[in-house]
Structures are given as C-alpha cells and as structure tokens.
Amino acid sequence: MKKITRVAACAALAMGGTAVYAQSTVTLFGIVDTNVAHLRSSGNGSVNILGTDGNQSSRIGFRGVENLGGGLKAGFWMEAAINPDVGTGGSTNANNQPSGASNSGGLTFGRRATVSLMDDNWGEVRLGRDYVPGFWNLSAFSPFGTNGIGSSSFLFYPVQSAARITNVRASNSVGYHLPKMGGVYGQLMYAFGENSASGPTKNDGRALGIRVGYKSGPVDVAVATTKTEISSLGDLRQTNIGGSYDFGVAQLMLLWNQNKVGSTSTKSALVGARIPLGQGHVRVAYSRVNASGVANDAQHLALGYVYDLSKRTALYGHIARIDNKGNGVNYNLGQAVKTPGGNSDGVEFGIRHTF
C-alpha cells in the first residue's frame, strides 16, 4: 500500500489573514492474482486456461480518511475489480436488478464505492455500493473464502444467475456498522432499487440485510440474512450462520447457508480447516448442497496449500472436485457439466501479490 499525505489550505480568513489547514491520507492499494489452471467436466472435455483470483480477488483501489475533530472522521473507499489475465476491469450493477448489469471492461469501481462518517463511540454510517451482510459469512468461514476452485461459492451461491445480483454487493445502499463493543460486531444495510414506475416492479432491487457476530480470542461466530425484492423471481433471501475456532495447530470452520428464490431453495453446509505448515498453510474443505425445486444435490471437495514468499507475495496450488447427484448438471468448477450426474474437477497453480 502506498500512502500519500496531502496538506492543503482550505480557506484563508479574510479579516485575520490566517490559513486553515486540513490533513488527509489517501492510500493506493491492490492485489494481482493470476494462475494456470486445468479444468475438466463430464461430457465437455477439458481446457487449460490462464485464470485469475485463485487465492484472492484481483483489484485496485483508493481509500482515505480525514480527521474532522472530536473523534469524528470522514472516509471514502473506491475499489475496482481487475482481470490481470486479459487486462480488463470488472463489472457492476446500477440498480440491483437484471436491467442494471454493466460490464464495459474498463475500470469500474464495482467492488466497493462508498463515502462514510465514523466515530469510535457510535460506529460508521456508509453510503454507496458495498457488501451485503449475507455475504460476509461465506468469505470468513470458508478456508478458501470465495476464490479459486476451492471456493465454497460454487455450492453456496444461488443456482439462478439472475438471483446472484445482490448475493455479494448492493448498489444505492445506506449501511451502518457497529463500533467496537468488546467482541460484538455487526452490520445493517438498506439498498434502494430506484424504480420510478408503480406496479409489481416498484420495489425491485430493494435490499435489506443484517449481520451480527462475536469474536474473542480463538472464537468467531456470526449470523446474517439479506433479502432482495425481485418480482420476476419471487424475491431472494440469503441466510447463513458460520463459525471458526483456532486451536493453534489448526483453525476449524463450519458454515451453513440457505438461498430461497421464490418457491425454490438450496441449503449448503461446509466443514473445513486451515492448518499452518512450514512457511504457509494447508486448506481443506468439504461442502454439500441439498436443492429443492431448482437443481439436484451435489458435493465439493477441495485441498490446497498457500506458501508465503513474503508478507505481500504468495504461491498457491489447489485441487478440487464437484460431483453432481442424480441427473444433475448444475454445479461445476468453471467448465460446464454436460453428462447428467457428471463431475467436474480441476487443478490450479498461481501467484498472488498485494500492494
């Protein structure tokens, strides 16, 4: 991270000729993560690719904080996804609905774009595009987070692509984050769909979510839910609970999640661990999804190792497999399954650098 401190004269008092100065710090930060992967799926052969985001999501951003006095601070955060394998930028969504999708390939601050007021006593009020409360447990309580072929997201995200619009972030949101309260933490969010027309689609894109957790020493546990109104889907509700315990020799993680889209439902569960080993750590996870009215069941097994070359640079290798149950073809590692009840497997090796 590169910090740039700017001291600028805000105003000169005309009567006294005294300059008033404000000081703020702007930080440039980012991650570049690229890998070589081999993916194979039943009935669809195999493919070799240069991929990205195997360990962490590639990004570039700017953030800053200004001390306003009396404990009050103002801050901003602008973060864009990047695809280092091809040199393009990521996507965003303007209204939390299928009609708001945008992917120009240029630098779009779709990962996060917020301005906020914060205070150590009462917390933080944040406005803009931000992560929904229901997403954080999927990232925090999975050994692979939501990145790479070991990611829990393959089974934990909704099957319907239109229902995934707000399962990670929401635009036009007003959020509140609790201050430090011992080990208690939490987030509340309300997002506008910004529809001017009346009728059944009036509230489409409106999202409401809450997350409450407790972290102290080796223990971390949280519960969250987010509901988004999409009339054509019958609304989306994402609810999950997760926890971890660090035994020192290993950090155990447990996660349960339900996605309800209209009358359909998928319930997913994960058990996994991060185990320190040498100059890095081993990751292992087993996940299972039980689907109702939308897909067949499936299971996911993943194993990986992250080797830290330094505080900023790491090498990693992952291997994973998804097995669809019955005649299912819905779940894969990035290469579509075309044989009913088929499987999808893959291996990836990459490098991740933060700045």
Side-chain angles (χ1 to χ4, degrees):
M1 289 175 281
K2 183 178 180 181
K3 292 187 177 180
I4 308 169
T5 302
R6 298 178 178 178
V7 181
C10 294
L13 299 181
M15 296 300 294
T18 303
V20 179
Y21 294 91
Q23 179 173 319
S24 62
T25 300
V26 177
T27 301
L28 168 67
F29 67 95
I31 296 174
V32 180
D33 182 321
T34 306
N35 60 69
V36 175
H38 175 80
L39 305 176
R40 185 208 62 85
S41 291
S42 298
N44 200 20
S46 62
V47 61
N48 298 312
I49 64 172
L50 185 68
T52 183
D53 300 358
N55 177 243
Q56 294 186 35
S57 300
S58 297
R59 69 197 75 171
I60 187 169
F62 308 87
R63 60 176 180 251
V65 175
E66 181 183 20
N67 192 337
L68 301 175
L72 184 65
K73 299 177 183 178
F76 79 94
W77 192 301
M78 302 292 292
E79 184 175 320
I82 56 174
N83 303 307
D85 54 334
V86 294
T88 60
S91 60
T92 188
N93 189 288
N95 60 10
N96 309 322
Q97 304 166 55
S99 62
S102 174
N103 187 9
S104 65
L107 197 62
T108 301
F109 294 97
R111 286 185 56 84
R112 179 176 165 184
T114 61
V115 63
S116 59
L117 287 175
M118 62 198 88
D119 183 277
D120 291 340
N121 294 317
W122 54 257
E124 178 183 1
V125 175
R126 190 181 295 177
L127 287 76
R129 179 169 173 82
D130 202 2
Y131 292 89
V132 299
F135 165 77
W136 285 115
N137 289 343
L138 305 186
S139 176
F141 301 118
S142 168
F144 294 84
T146 55
N147 292 99
I149 61 175
S151 168
S152 62
S153 60
F154 289 110
L155 303 190
F156 280 72
Y157 286 171
V159 175
Q160 305 94 325
S161 59
R164 300 182 185 183
I165 294 170
T166 58
N167 68 300
V168 178
R169 304 174 183 87
S171 296
N172 314 313
S173 74
V174 178
Y176 171 69
H177 295 253
L178 288 175
K180 292 182 179 179
M181 300 170 56
V184 178
Y185 58 88
Q187 175 191 5
L188 179 66
M189 172 185 278
Y190 180 88
F192 300 88
E194 299 189 347
N195 300 299
S196 58
S198 59
T201 63
K202 172 67 175 179
N203 296 323
D204 279 8
R206 185 170 66 179
L208 178 64
I210 186 172
R211 180 179 187 237
V212 178
Y214 177 79
K215 183 176 183 180
S216 179
V219 177
D220 191 1
V221 60
V223 59
T225 185
T226 305
K227 179 184 178 182
T228 305
E229 297 184 52
I230 302 290
S231 57
S232 61
L233 296 175
D235 300 339
L236 162 67
R237 183 182 293 276
Q238 178 187 53
T239 303
N240 46 54
I241 183 171
S244 66
Y245 191 93
D246 194 340
F247 293 92
V249 295
Q251 182 184 24
L252 178 66
M253 298 181 179
L254 299 172
L255 177 64
W256 178 89
N257 179 85
Q258 181 183 39
N259 295 309
K260 295 188 70 175
V261 183
S263 60
T264 70
S265 171
T266 55
K267 296 179 180 179
S268 307
L270 172 148
V271 58
R274 288 183 179 176
I275 306 167
L277 179 64
Q279 198 168 312
H281 63 272
V282 173
R283 301 178 174 193
V284 59
Y286 172 78
S287 305
R288 185 176 180 88
V289 60
N290 297 108
S292 175
V294 66
N296 289 82
D297 299 348
Q299 64 181 15
H300 178 215
L301 181 62
L303 176 66
Y305 182 68
V306 179
Y307 180 81
D308 296 314
L309 295 173
S310 69
K311 291 183 178 180
R312 297 185 181 277
T313 305
L315 301 176
Y316 62 87
H318 303 146
I319 185 170
R321 179 184 176 97
I322 288 179
D323 289 300
N324 288 276
K325 303 302 181 180
N327 62 352
V329 295
N330 294 94
Y331 298 99
N332 62 78
L333 297 174
Q335 177 84 342
V337 173
K338 294 188 176 180
T339 300
N343 53 60
S344 174
D345 51 57
V347 59
E348 62 185 4
F349 297 94
I351 181 170
R352 181 263 300 155
H353 177 74
T354 65
F355 60 90

